[in-house]
Coordinates of all heavy atoms in Angstrom, one line a residue:
M1 N -22.4 -20.9 -5.2 CA -21.9 -19.9 -6.1 C -20.6 -20.3 -6.7 O -19.7 -20.7 -5.9 CB -21.7 -18.6 -5.3 CG -21.0 -17.5 -6.1 SD -20.7 -16.1 -5.1 CE -22.2 -15.2 -5.2
A2 N -20.4 -20.4 -8.0 CA -19.2 -20.8 -8.6 C -18.2 -19.8 -8.6 O -18.6 -18.6 -8.3 CB -19.5 -21.3 -10.0
T3 N -17.0 -20.1 -8.8 CA -15.9 -19.1 -9.0 C -16.2 -18.1 -10.2 O -17.0 -18.5 -11.1 CB -14.5 -19.7 -9.2 OG1 -14.5 -20.5 -10.3 CG2 -14.1 -20.5 -8.0
T4 N -15.8 -17.0 -10.1 CA -16.0 -15.9 -11.2 C -14.7 -15.7 -11.9 O -13.7 -15.5 -11.4 CB -16.4 -14.6 -10.4 OG1 -17.6 -14.9 -9.6 CG2 -16.8 -13.5 -11.5
A5 N -14.8 -15.6 -13.2 CA -13.7 -15.2 -14.1 C -13.4 -13.7 -14.0 O -14.5 -13.0 -14.2 CB -13.8 -15.7 -15.4
V6 N -12.2 -13.2 -13.7 CA -12.0 -11.8 -13.7 C -11.0 -11.5 -14.8 O -10.0 -12.3 -15.0 CB -11.4 -11.5 -12.3 CG1 -11.1 -10.0 -12.3 CG2 -12.5 -11.7 -11.2
T7 N -11.1 -10.4 -15.5 CA -10.1 -9.9 -16.5 C -9.5 -8.7 -16.1 O -9.9 -8.0 -15.1 CB -10.9 -9.8 -17.8 OG1 -11.8 -8.7 -17.6 CG2 -11.6 -11.1 -18.2
D8 N -8.5 -8.2 -16.9 CA -7.9 -6.8 -16.6 C -8.9 -5.9 -16.7 O -9.0 -4.9 -15.9 CB -6.7 -6.6 -17.7 CG -5.6 -7.4 -17.5 OD1 -5.2 -7.7 -16.3 OD2 -4.8 -7.6 -18.4
A9 N -9.8 -6.0 -17.6 CA -10.9 -4.9 -17.8 C -11.9 -5.0 -16.7 O -12.5 -3.9 -16.3 CB -11.6 -5.2 -19.1
S10 N -12.2 -6.1 -16.1 CA -13.3 -6.1 -15.0 C -12.7 -6.1 -13.6 O -13.5 -6.1 -12.7 CB -14.1 -7.5 -15.2 OG -13.4 -8.6 -14.9
F11 N -11.4 -6.1 -13.5 CA -10.8 -6.2 -12.1 C -11.3 -5.1 -11.2 O -11.7 -5.4 -10.0 CB -9.3 -6.1 -12.4 CG -8.6 -6.4 -11.0 CD1 -8.3 -7.7 -10.5 CD2 -8.1 -5.3 -10.3 CE1 -7.8 -7.9 -9.3 CE2 -7.4 -5.6 -9.1 CZ -7.2 -6.9 -8.6
K12 N -11.3 -3.9 -11.7 CA -11.7 -2.7 -10.9 C -13.1 -2.9 -10.3 O -13.3 -2.8 -9.1 CB -11.6 -1.5 -11.6 CG -11.9 -0.2 -10.8 CD -11.8 1.1 -11.5 CE -12.2 2.2 -10.5 NZ -12.1 3.5 -11.3
S13 N -14.1 -3.2 -11.2 CA -15.4 -3.3 -10.8 C -15.7 -4.6 -10.0 O -16.5 -4.6 -9.0 CB -16.4 -3.2 -12.0 OG -16.2 -4.3 -12.9
D14 N -15.1 -5.7 -10.5 CA -15.4 -7.0 -9.8 C -14.6 -7.2 -8.6 O -15.1 -8.0 -7.7 CB -15.0 -8.2 -10.8 CG -15.9 -8.3 -12.0 OD1 -17.0 -7.7 -11.9 OD2 -15.5 -9.0 -12.9
V15 N -13.5 -6.6 -8.4 CA -12.6 -6.9 -7.2 C -12.5 -5.7 -6.4 O -12.9 -5.7 -5.1 CB -11.2 -7.4 -7.6 CG1 -10.3 -7.7 -6.4 CG2 -11.3 -8.8 -8.3
L16 N -12.0 -4.6 -6.9 CA -11.7 -3.4 -6.1 C -12.8 -2.7 -5.6 O -12.9 -2.2 -4.5 CB -10.8 -2.4 -6.9 CG -9.4 -3.0 -7.3 CD1 -8.6 -1.9 -8.1 CD2 -8.6 -3.6 -6.2
E17 N -14.0 -2.8 -6.3 CA -15.3 -2.0 -5.9 C -16.3 -3.0 -5.3 O -17.4 -2.6 -5.1 CB -15.8 -1.3 -7.1 CG -14.9 -0.2 -7.6 CD -15.4 0.5 -8.9 OE1 -16.3 0.0 -9.5 OE2 -14.7 1.4 -9.2
S18 N -15.9 -4.2 -5.0 CA -16.9 -5.2 -4.5 C -17.2 -4.8 -3.1 O -16.4 -4.4 -2.2 CB -16.2 -6.6 -4.4 OG -17.1 -7.6 -3.8
E19 N -18.5 -5.1 -2.8 CA -19.0 -4.9 -1.4 C -18.6 -5.9 -0.5 O -18.5 -5.6 0.7 CB -20.6 -4.9 -1.5 CG -21.2 -3.8 -2.3 CD -21.1 -2.5 -1.7 OE1 -21.3 -2.5 -0.4 OE2 -20.9 -1.5 -2.3
K20 N -18.3 -7.1 -0.9 CA -17.7 -8.1 0.0 C -16.3 -8.5 -0.4 O -15.8 -8.2 -1.5 CB -18.6 -9.3 0.1 CG -18.7 -10.1 -1.1 CD -19.7 -11.3 -0.9 CE -19.9 -12.1 -2.2 NZ -20.9 -13.2 -1.9
P21 N -15.6 -9.2 0.5 CA -14.2 -9.5 0.2 C -14.1 -10.5 -1.1 O -15.1 -11.2 -1.3 CB -13.8 -10.4 1.4 CG -14.7 -9.9 2.5 CD -15.9 -9.5 1.9
V22 N -13.1 -10.3 -1.7 CA -12.8 -11.2 -3.0 C -11.5 -11.8 -2.9 O -10.4 -11.2 -2.7 CB -12.9 -10.3 -4.2 CG1 -12.7 -11.1 -5.5 CG2 -14.2 -9.5 -4.4
L23 N -11.5 -13.1 -3.0 CA -10.2 -13.9 -3.1 C -10.0 -14.1 -4.6 O -10.7 -14.7 -5.3 CB -10.4 -15.3 -2.4 CG -9.1 -16.2 -2.5 CD1 -8.0 -15.6 -1.7 CD2 -9.4 -17.6 -2.1
V24 N -8.8 -13.6 -5.0 CA -8.5 -13.8 -6.4 C -7.3 -14.7 -6.5 O -6.3 -14.7 -5.9 CB -7.9 -12.4 -7.0 CG1 -7.6 -12.6 -8.5 CG2 -9.0 -11.3 -6.9
D25 N -7.6 -15.8 -7.4 CA -6.7 -16.8 -7.7 C -6.0 -16.6 -9.0 O -6.6 -16.5 -10.1 CB -7.4 -18.2 -7.8 CG -6.6 -19.3 -8.4 OD1 -5.3 -19.3 -8.2 OD2 -7.2 -20.2 -8.9
F26 N -4.7 -16.1 -9.0 CA -3.9 -15.9 -10.2 C -3.4 -17.2 -10.7 O -2.7 -17.9 -9.9 CB -2.8 -14.9 -9.9 CG -3.3 -13.5 -9.6 CD1 -3.4 -13.1 -8.2 CD2 -3.6 -12.6 -10.6 CE1 -3.9 -11.8 -8.0 CE2 -4.0 -11.4 -10.3 CZ -4.2 -10.9 -8.9
W27 N -3.7 -17.6 -11.9 CA -3.4 -18.9 -12.5 C -3.2 -18.9 -13.8 O -3.2 -17.9 -14.5 CB -4.6 -19.9 -12.1 CG -5.8 -19.5 -12.9 CD1 -6.7 -18.6 -12.8 CD2 -6.2 -20.3 -14.1 NE1 -7.6 -18.6 -13.9 CE2 -7.4 -19.6 -14.7 CE3 -5.7 -21.4 -14.8 CZ2 -8.0 -20.1 -15.8 CZ3 -6.4 -21.8 -15.9 CH2 -7.5 -21.2 -16.4
A28 N -2.7 -20.1 -14.4 CA -2.6 -20.3 -15.8 C -2.8 -21.7 -16.2 O -2.8 -22.6 -15.3 CB -1.1 -19.9 -16.3
D29 N -3.3 -21.9 -17.4 CA -3.7 -23.3 -17.8 C -2.5 -24.3 -17.8 O -2.8 -25.5 -17.5 CB -4.2 -23.2 -19.2 CG -4.9 -24.5 -19.6 OD1 -5.7 -25.1 -18.9 OD2 -4.5 -25.0 -20.7
W30 N -1.3 -23.9 -17.9 CA -0.1 -24.8 -17.9 C 0.4 -25.0 -16.6 O 1.3 -25.9 -16.3 CB 1.0 -24.1 -18.7 CG 1.3 -22.8 -18.4 CD1 0.9 -21.7 -19.1 CD2 2.1 -22.2 -17.3 NE1 1.3 -20.5 -18.5 CE2 2.1 -20.8 -17.4 CE3 2.7 -22.9 -16.2 CZ2 2.7 -20.0 -16.5 CZ3 3.5 -22.1 -15.3 CH2 3.4 -20.7 -15.5
C31 N -0.2 -24.5 -15.5 CA 0.3 -24.6 -14.1 C -0.4 -25.8 -13.5 O -1.7 -25.8 -13.1 CB -0.1 -23.3 -13.3 SG 0.2 -23.4 -11.6
G32 N 0.3 -26.9 -13.2 CA -0.2 -28.1 -12.5 C -0.8 -27.8 -11.1 O -1.8 -28.2 -10.9
P33 N 0.0 -27.1 -10.2 CA -0.6 -26.8 -8.9 C -1.8 -26.0 -9.0 O -2.7 -26.1 -8.1 CB 0.5 -26.0 -8.2 CG 1.8 -26.6 -8.9 CD 1.5 -26.7 -10.4
C34 N -1.9 -25.1 -10.0 CA -3.2 -24.3 -10.2 C -4.3 -25.2 -10.4 O -5.5 -25.1 -9.8 CB -3.0 -23.3 -11.3 SG -1.7 -22.1 -11.1
K35 N -4.2 -26.3 -11.3 CA -5.2 -27.2 -11.5 C -5.5 -28.1 -10.4 O -6.7 -28.5 -10.2 CB -4.8 -28.1 -12.8 CG -4.6 -27.4 -14.1 CD -4.3 -28.2 -15.2 CE -4.1 -27.5 -16.5 NZ -3.9 -28.4 -17.6
M36 N -4.5 -28.3 -9.5 CA -4.8 -29.1 -8.3 C -5.7 -28.5 -7.3 O -6.5 -29.1 -6.7 CB -3.4 -29.4 -7.6 CG -2.6 -30.5 -8.3 SD -0.9 -30.7 -7.6 CE -1.2 -30.6 -5.9
I37 N -5.6 -27.1 -7.2 CA -6.4 -26.4 -6.2 C -7.8 -25.9 -6.8 O -8.6 -25.5 -6.0 CB -5.7 -25.2 -5.5 CG1 -5.4 -24.1 -6.5 CG2 -4.4 -25.8 -4.8 CD1 -4.9 -22.8 -5.9
A38 N -8.0 -26.0 -8.1 CA -9.1 -25.5 -8.7 C -10.4 -26.1 -8.1 O -11.4 -25.4 -7.8 CB -9.1 -25.6 -10.2
P39 N -10.5 -27.5 -8.0 CA -11.8 -28.1 -7.4 C -12.0 -27.6 -6.0 O -13.1 -27.4 -5.6 CB -11.5 -29.6 -7.4 CG -10.4 -29.7 -8.5 CD -9.5 -28.6 -8.4
A40 N -10.9 -27.4 -5.2 CA -11.1 -27.0 -3.8 C -11.6 -25.5 -3.8 O -12.5 -25.2 -3.0 CB -9.8 -27.0 -3.1
L41 N -11.1 -24.7 -4.7 CA -11.7 -23.3 -4.8 C -13.1 -23.3 -5.1 O -13.9 -22.5 -4.7 CB -10.8 -22.4 -5.7 CG -9.3 -22.2 -5.2 CD1 -8.6 -21.5 -6.2 CD2 -9.4 -21.4 -3.8
E42 N -13.5 -24.1 -6.1 CA -14.9 -24.2 -6.5 C -15.7 -24.6 -5.3 O -16.9 -24.1 -5.1 CB -15.1 -25.2 -7.7 CG -14.5 -24.8 -8.9 CD -15.2 -23.6 -9.6 OE1 -16.4 -23.4 -9.3 OE2 -14.6 -23.0 -10.4
E43 N -15.4 -25.6 -4.5 CA -16.1 -26.1 -3.4 C -16.1 -25.0 -2.3 O -17.2 -24.7 -1.7 CB -15.4 -27.3 -2.8 CG -15.6 -28.6 -3.6 CD -14.8 -29.7 -3.2 OE1 -14.4 -29.8 -1.9 OE2 -14.6 -30.7 -3.9
L44 N -15.0 -24.2 -2.1 CA -15.1 -23.1 -1.1 C -16.0 -22.0 -1.5 O -16.6 -21.4 -0.8 CB -13.6 -22.7 -0.9 CG -12.7 -23.7 -0.1 CD1 -11.3 -23.1 0.0 CD2 -13.3 -23.9 1.3
S45 N -16.1 -21.8 -2.9 CA -16.9 -20.8 -3.4 C -18.4 -21.2 -3.0 O -19.2 -20.2 -2.7 CB -16.7 -20.6 -4.8 OG -17.3 -21.6 -5.6
E46 N -18.8 -22.4 -3.0 CA -20.1 -22.8 -2.6 C -20.3 -22.8 -1.1 O -21.3 -22.3 -0.6 CB -20.4 -24.3 -3.1 CG -20.3 -24.5 -4.6 CD -21.5 -23.9 -5.3 OE1 -22.5 -23.7 -4.7 OE2 -21.3 -23.6 -6.5
E47 N -19.3 -23.2 -0.4 CA -19.4 -23.2 1.1 C -19.3 -21.7 1.7 O -19.9 -21.5 2.8 CB -18.3 -24.1 1.7 CG -18.4 -25.4 1.3 CD -17.2 -26.3 1.7 OE1 -16.4 -25.8 2.7 OE2 -17.0 -27.3 1.2
L48 N -18.5 -20.9 1.2 CA -18.3 -19.6 1.8 C -18.9 -18.4 0.9 O -18.5 -17.2 1.1 CB -16.8 -19.3 2.0 CG -16.1 -20.4 2.8 CD1 -14.6 -20.1 2.9 CD2 -16.7 -20.4 4.2
G49 N -19.7 -18.7 -0.1 CA -20.1 -17.7 -1.0 C -20.9 -16.6 -0.5 O -20.9 -15.5 -1.0
D50 N -21.5 -16.8 0.7 CA -22.3 -15.6 1.3 C -21.2 -14.6 2.0 O -21.5 -13.5 2.3 CB -23.1 -16.2 2.4 CG -22.5 -17.1 3.4 OD1 -21.5 -17.7 3.2 OD2 -23.1 -17.0 4.6
K51 N -19.9 -15.1 2.2 CA -18.9 -14.3 2.9 C -17.9 -13.7 2.0 O -17.3 -12.7 2.3 CB -18.2 -15.1 4.0 CG -19.1 -15.7 5.1 CD -18.4 -16.5 6.0 CE -19.2 -17.2 7.1 NZ -18.5 -18.2 7.9
V52 N -17.6 -14.4 0.9 CA -16.5 -14.0 0.0 C -16.8 -14.5 -1.4 O -17.4 -15.5 -1.7 CB -15.1 -14.7 0.5 CG1 -15.2 -16.1 0.5 CG2 -13.9 -14.1 -0.2
T53 N -16.4 -13.7 -2.4 CA -16.4 -14.0 -3.8 C -15.0 -14.6 -4.1 O -14.0 -14.1 -3.8 CB -16.7 -12.8 -4.7 OG1 -18.0 -12.3 -4.4 CG2 -16.7 -13.2 -6.1
I54 N -15.1 -15.7 -4.8 CA -13.7 -16.4 -5.2 C -13.7 -16.2 -6.7 O -14.6 -16.7 -7.4 CB -13.7 -17.8 -4.8 CG1 -13.7 -18.0 -3.3 CG2 -12.4 -18.4 -5.3 CD1 -13.6 -19.3 -2.7
A55 N -12.6 -15.5 -7.0 CA -12.5 -15.1 -8.5 C -11.2 -15.8 -9.1 O -10.2 -15.9 -8.3 CB -12.4 -13.6 -8.7
K56 N -11.1 -16.0 -10.3 CA -10.0 -16.6 -11.0 C -9.5 -15.6 -12.1 O -10.3 -15.2 -12.9 CB -10.2 -17.9 -11.5 CG -10.6 -18.9 -10.4 CD -11.0 -20.3 -11.0 CE -9.9 -21.0 -11.5 NZ -8.9 -21.6 -10.6
M57 N -8.2 -15.4 -12.2 CA -7.6 -14.5 -13.2 C -6.5 -15.2 -13.9 O -5.5 -15.6 -13.3 CB -7.2 -13.2 -12.7 CG -6.5 -12.3 -13.7 SD -6.0 -10.8 -13.2 CE -7.5 -9.8 -13.6
D58 N -6.7 -15.6 -15.2 CA -5.7 -16.2 -16.1 C -4.7 -15.2 -16.4 O -4.9 -14.2 -17.1 CB -6.4 -16.8 -17.2 CG -5.5 -17.6 -18.2 OD1 -4.2 -17.2 -18.2 OD2 -6.0 -18.4 -18.9
I59 N -3.5 -15.5 -15.9 CA -2.4 -14.4 -16.0 C -1.9 -14.4 -17.5 O -1.2 -13.3 -17.8 CB -1.2 -14.7 -15.0 CG1 -0.5 -15.9 -15.4 CG2 -1.7 -14.6 -13.6 CD1 0.9 -16.1 -14.7
M60 N -2.1 -15.4 -18.3 CA -1.6 -15.4 -19.7 C -2.6 -14.5 -20.5 O -2.1 -13.8 -21.5 CB -1.6 -16.8 -20.2 CG -0.6 -17.7 -19.5 SD 1.1 -17.1 -19.4 CE 1.6 -17.2 -20.9
E61 N -3.8 -14.6 -20.2 CA -4.9 -13.8 -21.0 C -5.0 -12.4 -20.4 O -5.5 -11.5 -21.1 CB -6.2 -14.5 -21.0 CG -6.3 -15.8 -21.7 CD -7.6 -16.5 -21.7 OE1 -8.6 -15.9 -21.2 OE2 -7.7 -17.7 -22.0
N62 N -4.5 -12.2 -19.2 CA -4.7 -10.9 -18.5 C -3.5 -10.6 -17.8 O -3.3 -10.7 -16.6 CB -5.8 -11.0 -17.5 CG -7.1 -11.4 -18.1 OD1 -7.8 -10.6 -18.7 ND2 -7.5 -12.7 -18.0
P63 N -2.4 -10.0 -18.5 CA -1.2 -9.7 -17.9 C -1.0 -8.4 -17.2 O -0.1 -8.3 -16.4 CB -0.1 -9.8 -19.2 CG -1.1 -9.2 -20.2 CD -2.4 -9.8 -20.0
D64 N -1.9 -7.5 -17.4 CA -1.8 -6.1 -16.8 C -1.9 -6.2 -15.3 O -1.0 -5.6 -14.6 CB -2.9 -5.2 -17.4 CG -2.6 -4.9 -18.9 OD1 -1.5 -5.3 -19.4 OD2 -3.5 -4.5 -19.5
V65 N -2.9 -6.7 -14.6 CA -3.1 -6.7 -13.2 C -2.0 -7.5 -12.6 O -1.4 -7.1 -11.6 CB -4.5 -7.2 -12.8 CG1 -4.6 -7.3 -11.3 CG2 -5.5 -6.1 -13.3
P66 N -1.8 -8.7 -12.9 CA -0.8 -9.5 -12.3 C 0.6 -8.9 -12.4 O 1.4 -8.8 -11.4 CB -0.7 -10.8 -13.1 CG -2.1 -11.0 -13.7 CD -2.5 -9.6 -14.0
G67 N 0.9 -8.2 -13.5 CA 2.2 -7.5 -13.8 C 2.3 -6.4 -12.7 O 3.3 -6.1 -12.1
S68 N 1.1 -5.5 -12.6 CA 1.2 -4.4 -11.7 C 1.3 -4.9 -10.2 O 1.7 -4.1 -9.4 CB -0.1 -3.5 -11.9 OG -1.1 -4.2 -11.5
M69 N 0.8 -6.1 -9.9 CA 0.9 -6.6 -8.5 C 2.2 -7.4 -8.3 O 2.3 -7.8 -7.2 CB -0.3 -7.4 -8.3 CG -1.6 -6.7 -8.3 SD -3.0 -7.7 -7.6 CE -2.4 -8.1 -6.0
G70 N 3.0 -7.5 -9.3 CA 4.3 -8.2 -9.1 C 4.0 -9.7 -8.9 O 4.9 -10.4 -8.2
V71 N 3.1 -10.3 -9.5 CA 2.9 -11.8 -9.4 C 4.0 -12.4 -10.2 O 4.2 -12.3 -11.4 CB 1.5 -12.1 -10.0 CG1 1.4 -13.7 -10.1 CG2 0.4 -11.6 -9.3
Q72 N 4.8 -13.2 -9.4 CA 6.0 -13.9 -10.0 C 5.8 -15.4 -10.0 O 6.5 -16.1 -10.8 CB 7.3 -13.5 -9.3 CG 7.5 -12.0 -9.5 CD 8.8 -11.6 -8.8 OE1 9.4 -12.4 -8.2 NE2 9.1 -10.4 -8.9
S73 N 4.9 -16.0 -9.2 CA 4.7 -17.4 -9.1 C 3.2 -17.7 -8.9 O 2.6 -16.9 -8.3 CB 5.6 -18.0 -8.0 OG 5.2 -17.6 -6.8
I74 N 2.9 -18.8 -9.4 CA 1.4 -19.2 -9.3 C 1.3 -20.6 -8.8 O 2.3 -21.4 -9.1 CB 0.6 -18.9 -10.6 CG1 1.3 -19.7 -11.7 CG2 0.5 -17.5 -10.8 CD1 0.5 -19.5 -13.1
P75 N 0.3 -21.0 -8.2 CA -0.9 -20.2 -7.9 C -0.5 -19.2 -6.8 O 0.3 -19.4 -6.0 CB -1.8 -21.2 -7.4 CG -1.1 -22.4 -6.9 CD 0.1 -22.4 -7.8
Y76 N -1.2 -18.1 -7.0 CA -1.0 -16.9 -6.0 C -2.4 -16.4 -5.7 O -3.1 -15.9 -6.5 CB -0.2 -15.8 -6.7 CG 0.1 -14.6 -5.8 CD1 0.7 -14.8 -4.6 CD2 -0.1 -13.4 -6.3 CE1 1.0 -13.7 -3.7 CE2 0.2 -12.2 -5.5 CZ 0.8 -12.4 -4.3 OH 1.1 -11.3 -3.5
L77 N -2.8 -16.6 -4.4 CA -4.1 -16.1 -3.9 C -4.0 -14.8 -3.1 O -3.1 -14.8 -2.2 CB -4.7 -17.3 -3.1 CG -4.8 -18.6 -3.6 CD1 -5.2 -19.6 -2.5 CD2 -5.7 -18.6 -4.8
V78 N -4.8 -13.9 -3.5 CA -4.8 -12.6 -2.8 C -6.2 -12.3 -2.4 O -7.2 -12.3 -3.2 CB -4.3 -11.5 -3.7 CG1 -4.2 -10.1 -2.9 CG2 -2.9 -11.7 -4.2
L79 N -6.4 -12.0 -1.1 CA -7.7 -11.6 -0.6 C -7.7 -10.1 -0.5 O -7.0 -9.5 0.1 CB -7.9 -12.2 0.8 CG -9.2 -11.9 1.5 CD1 -10.4 -12.5 0.8 CD2 -9.3 -12.3 3.0
F80 N -8.8 -9.6 -1.2 CA -9.0 -8.1 -1.3 C -10.2 -7.8 -0.4 O -11.2 -8.5 -0.4 CB -9.3 -7.6 -2.6 CG -8.2 -7.7 -3.6 CD1 -7.7 -8.9 -4.2 CD2 -7.4 -6.5 -3.8 CE1 -6.7 -8.8 -5.1 CE2 -6.3 -6.6 -4.6 CZ -6.0 -7.7 -5.3
K81 N -10.0 -6.8 0.5 CA -11.1 -6.3 1.3 C -11.1 -4.8 1.2 O -10.1 -4.1 1.2 CB -10.8 -6.6 2.9 CG -10.9 -8.0 3.3 CD -10.7 -8.1 4.8 CE -10.7 -9.5 5.2 NZ -10.4 -9.5 6.7
N82 N -12.3 -4.3 0.9 CA -12.4 -2.8 0.7 C -11.5 -2.3 -0.3 O -10.9 -1.2 -0.2 CB -12.3 -2.0 2.0 CG -13.3 -2.5 3.1 OD1 -14.4 -2.7 2.8 ND2 -12.7 -2.7 4.3
G83 N -11.3 -3.1 -1.4 CA -10.4 -2.7 -2.5 C -8.9 -2.8 -2.3 O -8.2 -2.3 -3.2
E84 N -8.5 -3.3 -1.2 CA -7.0 -3.4 -0.9 C -6.7 -4.8 -0.6 O -7.4 -5.6 0.0 CB -6.8 -2.6 0.4 CG -7.0 -1.1 0.3 CD -6.1 -0.4 -0.7 OE1 -4.9 -0.8 -0.8 OE2 -6.4 0.5 -1.4
P85 N -5.4 -5.2 -1.0 CA -4.9 -6.6 -0.7 C -4.8 -6.7 0.9 O -4.2 -5.8 1.6 CB -3.6 -6.5 -1.3 CG -3.5 -5.6 -2.3 CD -4.5 -4.5 -1.8
A86 N -5.5 -7.7 1.4 CA -5.5 -7.9 2.9 C -4.7 -9.1 3.3 O -4.3 -9.2 4.4 CB -6.9 -8.0 3.4
A87 N -4.6 -10.1 2.4 CA -3.8 -11.3 2.8 C -3.4 -12.1 1.4 O -4.1 -11.8 0.4 CB -4.6 -12.2 3.6
Q88 N -2.4 -12.8 1.5 CA -1.9 -13.5 0.3 C -1.4 -14.8 0.7 O -1.0 -15.1 1.8 CB -0.9 -12.7 -0.4 CG 0.4 -12.4 0.4 CD 1.3 -11.4 -0.2 OE1 0.9 -10.8 -1.2 NE2 2.4 -11.3 0.2
M89 N -1.5 -15.8 -0.3 CA -1.0 -17.1 -0.1 C -0.4 -17.6 -1.5 O -1.0 -17.4 -2.5 CB -2.0 -18.1 0.3 CG -1.5 -19.5 0.4 SD -2.9 -20.8 0.8 CE -2.9 -20.6 2.6
R90 N 0.9 -18.1 -1.4 CA 1.6 -18.6 -2.6 C 1.6 -20.1 -2.5 O 1.8 -20.6 -1.6 CB 3.0 -18.1 -2.7 CG 3.1 -16.6 -3.1 CD 4.6 -16.2 -3.3 NE 4.7 -14.9 -3.9 CZ 4.5 -13.8 -3.4 NH1 4.3 -13.7 -2.1 NH2 4.7 -12.7 -4.1
G91 N 1.4 -20.7 -3.7 CA 1.5 -22.2 -3.8 C 0.2 -22.9 -3.6 O -0.8 -22.3 -3.0
A92 N 0.2 -24.1 -3.9 CA -0.9 -25.0 -3.6 C -1.0 -25.5 -2.2 O 0.0 -25.6 -1.5 CB -0.9 -26.2 -4.6
A93 N -2.3 -25.8 -1.8 CA -2.5 -26.3 -0.4 C -3.8 -27.1 -0.5 O -4.6 -26.8 -1.3 CB -2.6 -25.1 0.6
P94 N -3.9 -28.1 0.5 CA -5.1 -28.9 0.5 C -6.3 -28.0 0.8 O -6.2 -26.9 1.5 CB -4.9 -29.9 1.6 CG -3.4 -29.9 1.8 CD -2.9 -28.5 1.5
K95 N -7.5 -28.4 0.5 CA -8.8 -27.7 0.7 C -8.9 -27.2 2.2 O -9.2 -26.1 2.5 CB -9.9 -28.5 0.3 CG -11.2 -27.7 0.6 CD -12.5 -28.6 0.4 CE -13.7 -27.9 0.7 NZ -14.8 -28.7 0.7
G96 N -8.5 -28.2 3.1 CA -8.8 -27.8 4.6 C -7.9 -26.6 4.9 O -8.3 -25.8 5.7
Q97 N -6.7 -26.6 4.4 CA -5.7 -25.6 4.7 C -6.1 -24.3 4.1 O -6.0 -23.2 4.7 CB -4.3 -26.0 4.3 CG -3.2 -24.9 4.8 CD -1.8 -25.4 4.3 OE1 -1.6 -26.6 4.0 NE2 -0.9 -24.5 4.3
L98 N -6.6 -24.3 2.9 CA -7.0 -23.2 2.2 C -8.3 -22.5 3.0 O -8.3 -21.4 3.1 CB -7.5 -23.4 0.8 CG -6.4 -23.8 -0.2 CD1 -7.0 -24.3 -1.5 CD2 -5.5 -22.6 -0.5
K99 N -9.2 -23.4 3.3 CA -10.4 -23.0 4.0 C -10.0 -22.3 5.4 O -10.6 -21.3 5.8 CB -11.4 -24.1 4.2 CG -12.7 -23.6 4.8 CD -13.7 -24.8 4.9 CE -15.0 -24.3 5.5 NZ -16.0 -25.3 5.6
Q100 N -9.2 -23.0 6.1 CA -8.7 -22.4 7.5 C -8.1 -21.1 7.3 O -8.3 -20.2 8.0 CB -7.8 -23.5 8.1 CG -7.4 -23.0 9.6 CD -6.4 -24.1 10.2 OE1 -5.9 -25.0 9.5 NE2 -6.2 -23.8 11.3
W101 N -7.2 -21.0 6.2 CA -6.5 -19.7 6.0 C -7.5 -18.6 5.7 O -7.6 -17.5 6.2 CB -5.5 -19.8 4.9 CG -4.9 -18.6 4.5 CD1 -4.0 -17.8 5.1 CD2 -5.2 -17.9 3.3 NE1 -3.8 -16.7 4.3 CE2 -4.5 -16.6 3.2 CE3 -6.2 -18.2 2.2 CZ2 -4.6 -15.7 2.2 CZ3 -6.2 -17.2 1.1 CH2 -5.4 -16.1 1.1
L102 N -8.4 -18.9 4.8 CA -9.4 -17.9 4.2 C -10.3 -17.5 5.4 O -10.6 -16.3 5.7 CB -10.1 -18.5 3.1 CG -11.1 -17.6 2.4 CD1 -10.5 -16.3 2.0 CD2 -11.8 -18.3 1.2
E103 N -10.9 -18.4 6.2 CA -11.8 -18.1 7.3 C -11.1 -17.3 8.3 O -11.7 -16.4 8.9 CB -12.4 -19.4 7.9 CG -13.5 -20.1 7.0 CD -14.0 -21.3 7.5 OE1 -13.2 -22.0 8.3 OE2 -15.2 -21.5 7.4
G104 N -9.8 -17.5 8.6 CA -9.1 -16.7 9.5 C -8.8 -15.3 9.1 O -8.6 -14.4 9.9
E105 N -8.9 -15.1 7.7 CA -8.6 -13.7 7.2 C -10.0 -12.9 7.0 O -9.9 -11.7 6.8 CB -7.9 -13.8 5.9 CG -6.5 -14.4 5.9 CD -5.5 -13.6 6.8 OE1 -5.8 -12.4 7.0 OE2 -4.5 -14.1 7.3
L106 N -11.1 -13.6 7.0 CA -12.3 -12.9 6.7 C -12.8 -12.1 7.9 O -12.5 -12.4 9.0 CB -13.4 -13.9 6.3 CG -13.2 -14.5 4.9 CD1 -14.3 -15.6 4.6 CD2 -13.2 -13.5 3.8

């Protein structure tokens, strides 16, 4: 399962109302560290797709949700469970570290 693009308009249905946990990657095209972790997130979406949906939200195209959540630096990963933020990680990390963190939070 590939990562899913989420927008301000789809955030409620795609993330807050999701039956399973959703990891949202707040990112932007100009962000080098965001581009560095993108392949790892794609791989994790394949490996952990039955347990979690991995979604990406471009903060430049969708400013409302990141603004309401106080996103000030990217990449910013937020794990939502039952419609609520359950865990967060700021900054880039190697795939192994991302996977360990995510599996520990699921």
Side-chain angles (χ1 to χ4, degrees):
M1 170 186 277
T3 58
T4 304
V6 177
T7 65
D8 284 335
S10 70
F11 186 79
K12 182 179 178 186
S13 62
D14 290 345
V15 178
L16 302 181
E17 297 174 351
S18 176
E19 294 290 319
K20 65 181 177 180
V22 181
L23 177 68
V24 179
D25 170 26
F26 293 96
W27 70 285
D29 190 50
W30 49 262
C31 171
C34 298
K35 291 180 180 182
M36 287 173 38
I37 67 169
L41 293 175
E42 290 293 335
E43 291 174 17
L44 290 174
S45 71
E46 296 292 335
E47 295 172 21
L48 303 174
D50 57 330
K51 299 177 188 172
V52 62
T53 298
I54 298 182
K56 298 176 70 67
M57 177 174 267
D58 184 331
I59 66 166
M60 300 306 289
E61 294 179 10
N62 303 282
D64 296 344
V65 170
S68 69
M69 293 189 59
V71 176
Q72 296 181 359
S73 63
I74 54 174
Y76 182 52
L77 305 174
V78 181
L79 179 65
F80 288 84
K81 290 184 185 177
N82 301 315
E84 297 290 329
Q88 60 190 13
M89 176 185 276
R90 282 185 170 81
K95 178 187 171 189
Q97 186 177 343
L98 291 170
K99 184 175 184 178
Q100 183 179 9
W101 170 75
L102 186 55
E103 288 180 322
E105 297 294 341
L106 291 176

